């Protein structure tokens, strides 16, 4: 199993956790890294504006390629046999976010963050697949955090109710083509890692 083979490889710590989420939640997991300063005391308003921005949209499209999901892109080979990624037509005319959405943000401490990240892998009652080896899960999570937020004293953490982006359920009900990410089930999550210089956004989805 790749996760076990590479669990002690620091260059793989972030990818290991993202791939573990993919399997545990049946998820197309994204980790967005935005080099932009967000005001901790005005986070809700600034995130609201950012989610409506072209920068958020492009970050999601970039993650779609980086994580090899290609839910929003065609893959084409040119004459040099190089892959070109072309967004589907609906990417240019639609947005990820729901109209008039309101963010519900909960601040959590480092322990709460760690427990939340661990629960995403271990909760066998609602997820598609899970890891029963708690020791391995704890190591995956610890390694992920050691690489992502090596000095957690400069970071704050938040969980956001994942109801602000268009879901696959919304599209099926409308029989429409549009950008979407969440699935509308318990596998959806949105976690924020905020420093004074940048922000990470961890998104999960999936169907049981």
């Amino acid at each position: 199993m790749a996760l076990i083979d590479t669990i002690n490889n620091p260059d793989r710590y972030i990818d290991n956790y993202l791939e573990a989420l993919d399997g545990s939640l049946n998820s197309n997991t994204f980790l967005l890294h935005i080099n932009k300063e967000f005001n901790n005391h005005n986070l809700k308003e600034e995130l609201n504006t950012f989610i409506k921005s072209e920068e958020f949209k492009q970050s999601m499209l970039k993650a779609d390629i980086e994580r090899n999901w290609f839910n929003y892109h065609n893959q084409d080979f040119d004459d040099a046999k190089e892959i070109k990624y072309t967004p589907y037509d609906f990417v240019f005319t639609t947005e990820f976010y729901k109209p008039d959405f309101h963010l519900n943000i909960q601040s959590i401490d480092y322990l709460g963050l760690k427990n939340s990240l661990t629960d995403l892998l271990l909760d066998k009652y609602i997820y598609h697949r899970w890891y029963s080896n708690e020791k391995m899960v704890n190591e995956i999570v610890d390694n992920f955090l050691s690489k992502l937020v090596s000095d957690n004293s400069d970071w704050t953490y938040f969980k956001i109710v994942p109801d602000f982006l268009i879901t696959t359920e919304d599209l099926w009900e409308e029989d429409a083509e549009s950008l979407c990410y969440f699935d509308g089930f318990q596998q959806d999550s949105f976690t924020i890692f905020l420093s004074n210089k940048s922000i990470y956004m961890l998104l999960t989805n999936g169907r049981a």
Side-chain angles (χ1 to χ4, degrees):
M1 182 177 180
L3 285 171
I4 295 175
D5 293 342
T6 61
I7 197 169
N8 293 313
N9 181 352
D11 292 335
R12 288 279 303 163
Y13 284 170
I14 290 177
D15 287 339
N16 278 347
Y17 182 66
L18 300 183
E19 290 170 10
L21 288 176
D22 293 342
S24 181
L25 308 183
N26 193 26
S27 171
N28 306 114
T29 307
F30 285 173
L31 180 67
L32 313 183
H33 184 206
I34 314 298
N35 287 310
K36 181 177 181 178
E37 187 175 344
F38 286 79
N39 187 333
N40 200 337
H41 302 291
N42 198 34
L43 183 61
K44 183 174 182 178
E45 289 75 13
E46 293 191 4
L47 279 177
N48 189 294
T49 299
F50 178 73
I51 290 167
K52 295 177 180 178
S53 72
E54 183 66 18
E55 186 175 0
F56 174 76
K57 184 176 184 177
Q58 291 303 320
S59 297
M60 293 285 284
L61 297 178
K62 180 181 177 184
D64 183 50
I65 294 174
E66 290 177 341
R67 300 245 43 240
N68 297 312
W69 292 122
F70 310 115
N71 290 318
Y72 316 121
H73 293 86
N74 283 307
Q75 300 177 69
D76 300 310
F77 291 88
D78 63 13
D79 292 338
K81 304 302 181 183
E82 294 182 358
I83 301 177
K84 290 186 177 181
Y85 305 103
T86 307
Y88 292 123
D89 290 341
F90 63 80
V91 169
F92 300 101
T93 58
T94 60
E95 302 293 343
F96 281 100
Y97 59 86
K98 294 182 177 181
D100 304 319
F101 68 84
H102 298 280
L103 296 177
N104 186 343
I105 303 177
Q106 174 191 1
S107 175
I108 54 177
D109 59 17
Y110 184 78
L111 180 59
L113 170 73
K114 186 175 177 180
N115 289 339
S116 176
L117 298 180
T118 302
D119 287 346
L120 287 172
L121 298 183
L122 286 177
D123 193 334
K124 63 184 179 181
Y125 296 103
I126 59 174
Y127 296 124
H128 181 71
R129 293 187 294 275
W130 61 90
Y131 293 84
S132 59
N133 186 327
E134 290 193 30
K135 182 179 179 181
M136 185 180 77
V137 166
N138 287 330
E139 188 172 353
I140 291 171
V141 172
D142 286 340
N143 288 341
F144 170 73
L145 290 173
S146 73
K147 193 74 172 180
L148 194 70
V149 291
S150 57
D151 180 6
N152 70 63
S153 63
D154 293 330
W155 293 83
T156 51
Y157 314 102
F158 304 88
K159 293 177 67 175
I160 302 180
V161 176
D163 60 358
F164 56 92
L165 300 183
I166 295 170
T167 70
T168 56
E169 282 285 288
D170 297 328
L171 297 188
W172 285 342
E173 290 176 4
E174 299 175 5
D175 192 24
E177 235 184 0
S178 176
L179 285 169
C180 63
Y181 178 77
F182 293 133
D183 278 319
F185 296 92
Q186 290 176 299
Q187 289 85 345
D188 295 340
S189 73
F190 191 84
T191 307
I192 294 289
F193 307 71
L194 179 65
S195 75
N196 58 0
K197 296 181 180 179
S198 66
I199 189 170
Y200 285 99
M201 302 178 179
L202 177 67
L203 300 87
T204 66
N205 59 14
R207 289 177 174 271

